[in-house]
């Protein structure tokens, strides 16, 4: 497997043996930071999407905000939401689950 590309303007010393940047002395922190960034990205995308959908649904007269709020806790929707939650957690926590090379 080839080494991932490195930005030419960065000092090579920030890269660990696996070619990934190393910013903290604890490798777990270097894996945790992408988790936080993944969460932030996921949250913002979902926030924008929900706002757009609520606006469209209200504008079209399909449902009011109160009716949309009532959907929470509907047993018919719970199974689908649990599966979606599992997928979400897997995406967000991927950096923590990756095996990284340890320096010899």
């Amino acid at each position: 497997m080839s080494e991932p590309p490195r930005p030419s303007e960065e000092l090579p010393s920030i890269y660990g043996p696996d070619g990934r940047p190393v910013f903290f002395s604890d490798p777990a922190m270097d894996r945790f930071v992408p988790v936080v960034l993944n969460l932030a990205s996921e949250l913002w995308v979902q926030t924008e999407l929900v706002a757009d959908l609520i606006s469209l649904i209200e504008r079209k007269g399909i449902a009011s905000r109160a009716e949309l709020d009532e959907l929470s806790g509907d047993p018919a929707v719970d199974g689908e939401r649990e599966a979606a939650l599992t997928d979400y957690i897997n995406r967000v926590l991927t950096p923590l689950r990756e095996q990284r090379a340890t320096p010899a």
Side-chain angles (χ1 to χ4, degrees):
M1 188 166 135
S2 65
E3 186 175 321
R6 296 179 180 180
S8 59
E9 66 275 2
E10 295 294 334
L11 299 174
S13 63
I14 69 166
Y15 295 96
D18 60 359
R20 295 181 185 184
V22 176
F23 299 106
F24 299 98
S25 59
D26 182 353
M29 285 304 298
D30 278 327
R31 290 193 326 266
F32 186 70
V33 169
V35 170
V36 173
L37 296 177
N38 284 348
L39 280 169
S41 175
E42 290 269 347
L43 179 60
W44 184 248
V45 168
Q46 295 301 316
T47 300
E48 286 185 328
L49 179 61
V50 168
D52 290 344
L53 289 173
I54 288 172
S55 176
L56 181 63
I57 288 169
E58 287 179 324
R59 233 181 313 138
K60 296 281 186 178
I62 297 170
S64 69
R65 181 61 189 250
E67 291 170 315
L68 293 171
D69 290 340
E70 288 176 15
L71 289 174
S72 294
D74 182 346
V77 190
D78 284 347
E80 289 178 30
R81 289 186 179 170
E82 284 296 319
L85 175 60
T86 299
D87 290 341
Y88 173 73
I89 289 170
N90 287 333
R91 279 193 319 275
V92 168
L93 296 180
T94 293
L96 289 177
R97 294 181 176 143
E98 291 177 345
Q99 292 295 325
R100 301 196 72 178
T102 54

